[in-house]
Amino acid sequence: MNNREQYFARIEPLLGQGLSQHTLDLQGVRACARAAEMLAGCRLQRFRCKSKIWLQKQLKWKNGFRPARVLGPGPADARLVGMWIPANEPAALDFHFEQGLPCVTLRIPKNDRFALAQLNTQAARWILDGLLKQSWPTEGRSFFGQRAWPYSQTKTPGPICPPTPTVAGQKHIMVIGLGSLGSEAIRLLRRKDLRWTLVDPAEVSLHNPIRQWYGTEEIGQSKVACLARRLRSTRVRSVPEKLEDDGIKLRALIKADRPDLVLLSAGTAEHANLADVLWEESLPHISVLAYPRARFFEITAVVPKENTPCLDCYRGRLYSGPQASLPIDEELSSFLYERVAPEDRERIGRELVAEPATPIDTNRIAEVAARIAAELLSAPLKRSFWMQRLLNQNTTCLLGGNTIEQKENGNYAYGLSQAGQVIRLGLEDIAGYEEVTRCNTCGRSLQIHHHIETPPSAESIFDPEQLTQALLGSDTGT
Ligand SMILES: [Zn+2]
């Protein structure tokens, strides 16, 4: 297989030839270029738009082997229109057929980079599902985000969702793991006065540019070095190393130059241990985990000084409704929710990489994580109402779905009934066998709200029927 084909190898199991037979017309391209980039990553080969040169350059940077072609106006299979609207109007997507041509219009409030990201991801999802499966949304306007929750999707507008506060001052963000979640979160958060500590031992591989913030000309270079160059290297501490789970290196980095926030997006076996170290160091952090194929994801905000639960409080104890049939298998559940023997952790970590996945799916996760980061970096009273509520009510674990899955009994996996939906879970969702249990890491007493009557036997833990219960209760036994 040559490089042109290899480039798409990791999405081929999902999409096959994807959108390679389709042509997309773009208008207002600067407001919908991110959607175009994601769709090119789903093999869309032909765009039509007026500002050809700018878009062509960007697409060529992402895929120098076989860049999508940008043609002048002409026939297309669908149309994407990017439109800026005043900042006090709600973010929305319009969908309608124009003489049979499916048209998606992005209505993006000016200067709201998270609305820009959210609408681009959602519009790309609509175009992909529409062109591949003929599954178009109902015609009309859909509103994205309200004051109470930025991830709501409704047909009628609610109280407006104000823009996420911009990160002010010389904040210092440490990002552990510069893959599809970490690198794209950085892309969204970047501002010229931020400082960074970037941690990742890897080099850019042939499979990375399709879902990560790297170009094909950067293949073979260190990820840390590529991002440092884009972020201005004087503001970046580069750590092209792996952080071992003994935490020694991480503690040394914190001691040498303490960050204001850590984004933990390595997706490796050390994840839980590194989170424990960050709790002990009293550092605000965000844990980002994609389940296999990025179909579902889990983002936990932890602020030790504001007395939130730690990551360990949730592990193994959250009741989040019926699990999805595919993504959580016993290995994943034990990786996420149990103490795994050190000799197994490395192997399991390798096998759980969230691939294959489309750039649309992983970008959604990065976008949610980056938004939480921007909120946490703001002073408590400057944060958005929904974020203040999330912290006050200790519902600091966000569970999101890039897909929906309806079970035989009509319930949705994880209670997620719309693709792209994000729900919040918290201390009220703790499940287990006892009345009260105690978190080993932070010492918090956890009240059990969902009682599980009969502890599963050792054999039944791996019985799919018992899996939900095993997930919830396996680490409350002692
Ligand atoms: Zn805890």
Side-chain angles (χ1 to χ4, degrees):
M1 219 191 277
N2 61 23
N3 287 349
R4 282 167 59 150
E5 287 302 309
Q6 273 287 336
Y7 182 87
F8 292 107
R10 300 282 174 94
I11 62 148
E12 200 161 302
L14 282 181
L15 299 178
Q17 289 302 302
L19 298 172
S20 53
Q21 297 309 311
H22 296 282
T23 305
L24 183 66
D25 185 48
L26 300 173
Q27 296 177 8
V29 66
R30 286 193 187 244
C32 60
R34 286 288 283 122
E37 184 189 307
M38 289 179 238
L39 290 165
C42 300
R43 307 199 84 146
L44 191 71
Q45 294 282 324
R46 285 180 306 274
F47 293 93
R48 294 191 175 278
C49 86
K50 281 189 198 147
S51 24
K52 280 164 56 171
I53 294 168
W54 179 78
L55 181 66
Q56 185 77 74
K57 197 174 152 209
Q58 180 64 15
L59 294 173
K60 194 174 172 202
W61 181 74
K62 285 304 279 183
N63 181 359
F65 303 121
R66 190 187 184 182
R69 291 165 63 206
V70 185
L71 313 165
D77 302 302
R79 175 177 294 148
L80 202 53
V81 183
M83 184 189 286
W84 303 106
I85 60 171
N88 58 356
E89 289 182 19
L93 289 180
D94 286 345
F95 178 76
H96 63 278
F97 289 98
E98 211 172 277
Q99 293 169 344
L101 184 74
C103 297
V104 177
T105 302
L106 298 82
R107 298 172 55 84
I108 305 162
K110 259 186 197 144
N111 300 323
D112 188 340
R113 64 168 73 184
F114 290 100
L116 171 74
Q118 171 155 251
L119 293 185
N120 269 272
T121 309
Q122 191 64 35
R125 194 191 302 281
W126 282 6
I127 297 282
L128 177 70
D129 288 348
L131 290 178
L132 272 193
K133 302 181 218 156
Q134 292 307 308
S135 159
W136 294 103
T138 51
E139 287 190 82
R141 184 165 294 179
S142 301
F143 297 92
F144 289 82
Q146 295 190 5
R147 181 170 177 268
W149 193 234
Y151 307 111
S152 66
Q153 180 182 335
T154 53
K155 279 288 178 189
T156 47
I160 199 157
C161 183
T164 291
T166 48
V167 182
Q170 297 200 356
K171 297 284 187 190
H172 175 191
I173 306 175
M174 178 187 281
V175 183
I176 302 173
L178 305 174
S180 52
L181 311 179
S183 71
E184 288 291 347
I186 292 169
R187 183 179 184 179
L188 254 172
L189 285 166
R190 73 190 193 277
R191 301 189 75 81
K192 61 174 187 293
D193 51 354
L194 286 176
R195 291 196 302 125
W196 302 88
T197 295
L198 304 181
V199 187
D200 197 315
E203 293 172 352
V204 179
S205 84
L206 180 55
H207 302 115
N208 294 154
I210 195 167
R211 292 188 296 123
Q212 307 185 11
W213 192 33
Y214 306 102
T216 45
E217 64 200 28
E218 293 173 320
I219 290 170
Q221 300 177 28
S222 136
K223 289 186 173 182
V224 165
C226 293
L227 294 182
R229 203 166 47 232
R230 271 199 280 299
L231 296 166
R232 294 185 189 189
S233 45
T234 53
R235 301 198 151 270
V236 176
R237 171 169 57 166
S238 297
V239 187
E241 294 169 47
K242 181 170 184 262
L243 298 186
E244 301 296 341
D245 58 7
D246 58 18
I248 293 171
K249 178 81 191 173
L250 177 57
R251 283 183 209 275
L253 289 170
I254 293 167
K255 194 168 177 217
D257 186 0
R258 190 180 167 86
D260 296 291
L261 180 82
V262 179
L263 191 66
L264 192 50
S265 52
T268 59
E270 292 73 37
H271 192 96
N273 290 58
L274 296 178
D276 289 354
V277 170
L278 294 170
W279 177 268
E280 285 163 27
E281 295 283 337
S282 198
L283 255 179
H285 55 282
I286 299 170
S287 148
V288 193
L289 286 168
Y291 297 175
R293 290 173 44 183
R295 285 163 36 106
F296 296 94
F297 56 92
E298 187 184 302
I299 296 175
T300 309
V302 182
V303 192
K305 285 190 178 131
E306 295 178 42
N307 199 31
T308 66
C310 75
L311 183 63
D312 206 23
C313 285
Y314 291 133
R315 277 196 295 154
R317 303 197 179 97
L318 278 182
Y319 180 76
S320 49
Q323 311 287 343
S325 57
L326 175 69
I328 294 248
D329 57 18
E330 74 229 27
E331 276 203 322
L332 175 69
S333 66
S334 61
F335 175 70
L336 289 178
Y337 296 116
E338 280 178 42
R339 303 276 176 194
V340 179
E343 61 271 22
D344 292 333
R345 233 189 280 124
E346 180 75 36
R347 174 185 57 81
I348 296 175
R350 253 197 328 272
E351 289 166 0
L352 289 176
V353 177
E355 295 197 82
T358 73
I360 299 171
D361 297 334
T362 49
N363 266 313
R364 172 61 163 173
I365 307 175
E367 166 218 318
V368 175
R371 191 170 199 148
I372 299 291
E375 291 281 352
L376 285 188
L377 284 166
S378 305
L381 291 175
K382 293 241 168 99
R383 290 177 188 147
S384 302
F385 163 77
W386 61 267
M387 189 67 189
Q388 295 186 24
R389 193 175 67 161
L390 184 140
L391 291 167
N392 290 343
Q393 297 181 350
N394 277 326
T395 46
T396 44
C397 182
L398 303 188
L399 187 68
N402 281 312
T403 187
I404 53 169
E405 182 179 314
Q406 200 160 15
K407 316 292 285 186
E408 277 169 20
N409 60 9
N411 290 334
Y412 289 97
Y414 304 110
L416 298 167
S417 59
Q418 286 172 335
Q421 197 175 16
V422 181
I423 56 170
R424 59 192 178 115
L425 297 168
L427 293 178
E428 302 278 304
D429 304 296
I430 299 288
Y433 305 116
E434 300 144 16
E435 287 299 318
V436 176
T437 183
R438 185 172 285 276
C439 171
N440 291 329
T441 300
C442 71
R444 179 188 288 271
S445 283
L446 300 165
Q447 191 87 35
I448 305 299
H449 292 268
H450 299 271
H451 277 274
I452 297 169
E453 296 303 330
T454 321
S457 65
E459 298 81 53
S460 66
I461 284 179
F462 299 116
D463 172 358
E465 290 302 310
Q466 297 287 329
L467 192 55
T468 304
Q469 295 193 359
L471 268 170
L472 300 173
S474 54
D475 104 73
T476 58
T478 48

